[in-house]
Amino acid sequence: EGSLETIIMIFAAVIGIALLSIVSGEDVTGNVAFTAGITTEAKINKGTIVSFNSVFTNHGSGYNSATGVFTVPKGGLYAFFVSAVTQEKNEFFFGIYKNDAYQISVFAQGRDIGSGGNTILLRLFKNDRVYVKAHRNSYVQGQVNDISATFSGLLVGLLTV
């Protein structure tokens, strides 16, 4: 099991590669990336899709902050990362889903507060859907000036059939 620091380093490397292609001018119009966060303390009920309401970037317009669903605008290999911080003396337990099929979990709990994150690479086709859903009633931190629950995704590369 990898540490949160290892996961963050892998995700940072993937983002760096994607940003390098943007800066170098390679296929800028075809790049897809989004990051969104939660700006309020939230109780998210079991079975609910998590809506990350504050969108930082949405290149390719695939993420819908009203529904919390990322709809793939262009097929390929995608990287997704979810992280959050619990409210005091609580927990969160999320799953990342692809087209309503469970993929991986993200969990944290703490006597004070806890944090957790996870990363996944998925082969996706146009109009596939990826989202985060609460497996249990979940409690996450969030403020406009202190966003600690985020959902990000980016197109890493195109794949041949």
Side-chain angles (χ1 to χ4, degrees):
E1 216 175 89
S3 69
L4 181 58
E5 291 83 13
T6 302
I7 293 169
I8 290 170
M9 286 178 22
I10 292 169
F11 191 68
V14 170
I15 288 175
I17 292 167
L19 289 176
L20 182 61
S21 72
I22 291 171
V23 170
S24 70
E26 294 179 30
D27 193 26
V28 172
T29 59
N31 287 320
V32 178
F34 76 93
T35 294
I38 296 175
T39 58
T40 61
E41 276 197 356
K43 175 189 177 194
I44 301 155
N45 293 323
K46 177 181 178 181
T48 301
I49 294 176
V50 181
S51 177
F52 295 81
N53 63 303
S54 180
V55 178
F56 298 103
T57 188
N58 195 10
H59 193 72
S61 302
Y63 182 71
N64 182 329
S65 62
T67 64
V69 176
F70 172 73
T71 302
V72 176
K74 179 180 187 177
L77 181 66
Y78 282 79
F80 293 93
F81 182 75
V82 176
S83 66
V85 173
T86 66
Q87 292 176 19
E88 190 173 338
K89 298 178 183 171
N90 270 304
E91 67 180 15
F92 72 85
F93 185 24
F94 296 154
I96 297 178
Y97 285 76
K98 170 188 166 186
N99 297 329
D100 302 324
Y102 166 80
Q103 302 296 306
I104 62 172
S105 294
V106 184
F107 174 80
Q109 70 180 130
R111 282 188 264 174
D112 188 16
I113 61 171
S115 64
N118 211 343
T119 302
I120 188 169
L121 294 172
L122 294 171
R123 181 181 186 154
L124 300 172
F125 298 94
K126 185 174 181 171
N127 295 321
D128 279 347
R129 299 175 313 113
V130 177
Y131 55 88
V132 178
K133 183 164 64 171
H135 285 300
R136 294 185 196 147
N137 288 341
S138 296
Y139 304 84
V140 296
Q141 292 278 17
Q143 297 175 22
V144 172
N145 61 350
D146 187 14
I147 297 171
S148 53
T150 59
F151 178 33
S152 299
L154 62 97
L155 175 63
V156 176
L158 302 177
L159 299 174
T160 58
V161 180

